[in-house]
């Protein structure tokens, strides 16, 4: 019969198995939906519990290590229908908006410069139109909360 040492997250279970093996015990592990179930033979249960208590700091620190250090290189998958999207900081939101607007503004700038170069419109008029366009886009981004101050278009303080 085997003594149940509990179900542990994979990072902590790995460290627990190392600790028990270093102590000369014969732990067994089984992956479940809840985590990793660790067991030891009944005759080794007292020593296993002592090792668990003695090395609790080492086992607990495994849970605090960044997930990327495990070496798997897997990214978390988005969950369909999940309500909990991570909040992005205002600077990141503003940068994303600017990236979406950058291509159309660039194309418009090139078109205005080509028209100005071939003389169909006055270069001054082209730059005034471009300035108005940039002003309108900036105001719209500021009203959506992506402008300076980050909270929605109010005056800067």
């Amino acid at each position: 019969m085997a003594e149940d040492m509990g179900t542990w997250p994979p990072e902590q279970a790995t460290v627990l198995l190392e600790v028990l093996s270093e102590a000369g015990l014969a732990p067994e592990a089984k992956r479940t939906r809840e985590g990793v179930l660790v067991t030891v033979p009944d005759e080794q249960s007292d020593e296993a519990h002592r090792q668990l208590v003695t090395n609790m700091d080492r086992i607990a620190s495994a849970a605090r290590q960044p997930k990327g250090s495990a070496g798997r290189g897997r990214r978390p998958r988005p969950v369909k229908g999940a309500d909990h999207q991570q909040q992005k900081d205002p600077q990141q939101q503003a940068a994303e908006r600017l990236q979406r607007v950058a291509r159309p503004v660039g194309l418009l700038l090139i078109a205005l410069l080509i028209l100005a170069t071939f003389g169909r419109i006055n270069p001054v008029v082209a730059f005034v139109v471009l300035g108005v366009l940039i002003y309108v886009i900036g105001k719209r981004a500021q009203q959506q909360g992506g402008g300076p101050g980050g909270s929605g278009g109010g005056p800067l303080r």
Side-chain angles (χ1 to χ4, degrees):
M1 183 101 184
E3 171 74 19
D4 183 1
M5 296 294 293
T7 303
W8 298 81
E11 298 85 8
Q12 289 180 307
T14 302
V15 176
L16 176 60
L17 291 169
E18 287 174 9
V19 164
L20 295 175
S21 296
E22 289 170 2
L25 303 175
E28 293 184 19
K30 180 180 178 185
R31 183 175 291 274
T32 66
R33 282 185 163 187
E34 293 79 31
V36 178
L37 176 65
V38 178
T39 58
V40 294
D42 269 340
E43 60 273 2
Q44 296 178 353
S45 66
D46 290 337
E47 180 61 26
H49 284 287
R50 273 193 288 281
Q51 292 298 323
L52 174 64
V53 171
T54 304
N55 293 287
M56 187 54 83
D57 288 338
R58 182 175 161 194
I59 296 167
S61 69
R64 290 188 290 267
Q65 291 177 352
K67 299 250 183 206
S69 67
R72 293 182 188 217
R74 290 169 42 180
R75 286 181 273 159
R77 294 180 298 165
V79 177
K80 291 182 182 177
D83 294 341
H84 51 69
Q85 293 184 354
Q86 294 178 351
Q87 293 292 331
K88 297 179 181 174
D89 65 348
Q91 282 184 329
Q92 188 176 7
Q93 289 176 341
E96 288 175 1
R97 281 193 201 100
L98 286 175
Q99 286 176 345
R100 283 191 299 246
V101 173
R103 181 170 284 166
V105 169
L107 292 173
L108 186 60
L109 174 63
I110 290 171
L112 286 173
L113 290 175
I114 289 172
L115 289 174
T117 302
F118 291 113
R120 291 189 181 168
I121 62 171
N122 189 347
V124 174
V125 173
F127 285 111
V128 168
V129 169
L130 182 63
V132 169
L133 179 69
I134 290 173
Y135 174 78
V136 169
I137 290 172
K139 270 301 204 187
R140 196 171 111 209
Q142 197 174 34
Q143 288 171 349
Q144 292 176 352
S151 61
L156 295 177
R157 294 184 181 124

